[in-house]
């Protein structure tokens, strides 16, 4: 059971370039999300999805696009990278069934992105 | 969801108990307390959760005060591998994680 898999682990981009951060989970989780982590800022929610075909914005969505065509995959797209998007990105997933206290959120290993 | 307050850093001697406090004074009756930790730069990992009773699992114990306004995560015999950032969060069971705030947590340093 692989859990949550993120690719790539590291990426360097030039300002204005585009790229897609991949996230896949094999636990049949309805809920998936993307966070960014900057020094001293904790984890900030970028976008999330409660199921295939459903996405919504989190706390810091500007500059990022997402889609959820399958339960397993939740890619994060940077259309025109900016230095302010230099960060560590984490994908996470969990069950979304209501009333379940043990809906644990599982995180990927992260993607370290530098935008020059 | 209620917000939480944690000390930014703590030290603990190896082999001793590490007691990490969390204040959640605005917690609602339908919100659970969860603890996660992040070792070095890895993704956060679930530790334990509870509503109002004390909880224990193979990783830690969770003590929640009777008024539920604060809690303490206890690592009974801290090892160097427990050096990490520990996050205390609260979550409405009926909701997802989209309304949960992961703050800066407590950086625990276990000292040899």
């Amino acid at each position: 059971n692989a859990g949550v898999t993120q690719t790539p682990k590291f990426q360097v981009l030039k300002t204005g370039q585009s790229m897609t951060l991949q996230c896949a989970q094999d636990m049949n989780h309805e809920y998936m999300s993307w966070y960014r982590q900057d020094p001293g800022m904790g984890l900030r929610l970028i976008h999330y999805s409660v199921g295939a075909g459903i996405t919504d914005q989190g706390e810091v969505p500007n500059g990022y696009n997402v889609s959820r065509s399958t339960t397993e995959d939740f890619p994060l797209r940077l259309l025109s990278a900016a230095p302010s998007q230099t960060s560590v990105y984490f994908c996470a997933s969990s069950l979304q069934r209501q009333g379940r206290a043990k809906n644990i959120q599982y995180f990927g290993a992260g993607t370290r992105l530098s935008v020059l | 969801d209620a917000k939480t307050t944690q000390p930014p850093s703590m030290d603990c001697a190896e082999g001793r108990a590490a007691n990490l406090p969390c204040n959640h004074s605005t917690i609602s009756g339908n919100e659970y307390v969860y603890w996660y930790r992040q070792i070095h730069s890895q993704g956060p990992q679930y530790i334990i959760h509870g509503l109002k009773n004390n909880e224990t699992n193979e990783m830690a114990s969770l003590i929640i005060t009777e008024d539920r306004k604060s809690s303490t995560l206890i690592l009974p015999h801290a090892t160097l591998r427990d050096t990490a950032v520990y996050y205390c969060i609260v979550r409405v069971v009926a909701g997802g994680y989209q309304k949960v705030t992961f703050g800066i947590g407590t950086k625990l340093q276990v000292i040899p």
Side-chain angles (χ1 to χ4, degrees):
Chain A
N1 196 343
V4 179
T5 302
Q6 289 185 238
T7 56
K9 286 186 169 51
F10 301 93
Q11 184 71 48
V12 178
L13 292 177
K14 294 181 180 179
T15 297
Q17 286 185 316
S18 63
M19 80 158 296
T20 300
L21 279 63
Q22 301 291 346
C23 176
Q25 53 90 10
D26 60 0
M27 297 172 282
N28 202 30
H29 285 169
E30 302 97 335
Y31 180 85
M32 295 186 74
S33 59
W34 278 100
Y35 295 89
R36 61 177 289 172
Q37 186 172 37
D38 302 299
M41 298 291 290
L43 293 165
R44 292 187 291 171
L45 184 64
I46 303 171
H47 285 286
Y48 67 93
S49 168
V50 298
I54 306 170
T55 64
D56 207 344
Q57 298 180 349
E59 181 186 356
V60 287
N62 293 339
Y64 307 94
N65 282 348
V66 292
S67 60
R68 184 96 179 270
S69 56
T70 67
T71 299
E72 296 78 19
D73 300 298
F74 191 44
L76 179 71
R77 280 182 281 276
L78 285 70
L79 297 178
S80 179
S84 61
Q85 294 178 304
T86 294
S87 188
V88 181
Y89 292 85
F90 290 101
C91 178
S93 74
S94 75
L95 291 170
Q96 185 72 2
R97 296 168 197 167
Q98 292 194 3
R100 287 282 302 271
K102 203 171 181 182
N103 281 357
I104 298 168
Q105 189 156 220
Y106 295 84
F107 287 81
T111 295
R112 283 140 189 85
L113 176 69
S114 291
V115 182
L116 305 178
Chain B
D1 289 347
K3 296 296 187 289
T4 61
T5 304
Q6 301 176 250
S9 65
M10 294 182 63
D11 291 339
C12 177
E14 187 178 20
R16 305 297 291 270
N19 297 283
L20 291 87
C22 179
N23 180 286
H24 31 80
S25 58
T26 60
I27 193 169
S28 301
N30 61 347
E31 290 180 314
Y32 280 62
V33 180
Y34 291 77
W35 284 82
Y36 284 74
R37 75 178 182 183
Q38 186 175 23
I39 296 175
H40 193 45
S41 298
Q42 301 174 18
Q45 173 193 27
Y46 165 82
I47 301 173
I48 197 168
H49 74 280
L51 180 64
K52 54 183 178 181
N53 298 320
N54 298 339
E55 302 288 344
T56 296
N57 64 19
E58 65 279 4
M59 293 180 68
S61 295
L62 174 60
I63 308 297
I64 302 174
T65 58
E66 191 169 347
D67 63 8
R68 303 211 320 125
K69 293 185 176 182
S70 65
S71 61
T72 301
L73 179 75
I74 301 173
L75 308 178
H77 305 286
T79 70
L80 297 179
R81 287 177 293 181
D82 292 321
T83 292
V85 176
Y86 289 77
Y87 299 97
C88 168
I89 65 171
V90 293
R91 187 177 78 90
V92 176
V93 172
Y97 279 85
Q98 56 266 39
K99 295 182 180 179
V100 170
T101 299
F102 282 83
I104 62 172
T106 295
K107 183 174 176 58
L108 175 68
Q109 183 72 46
V110 180
I111 303 168

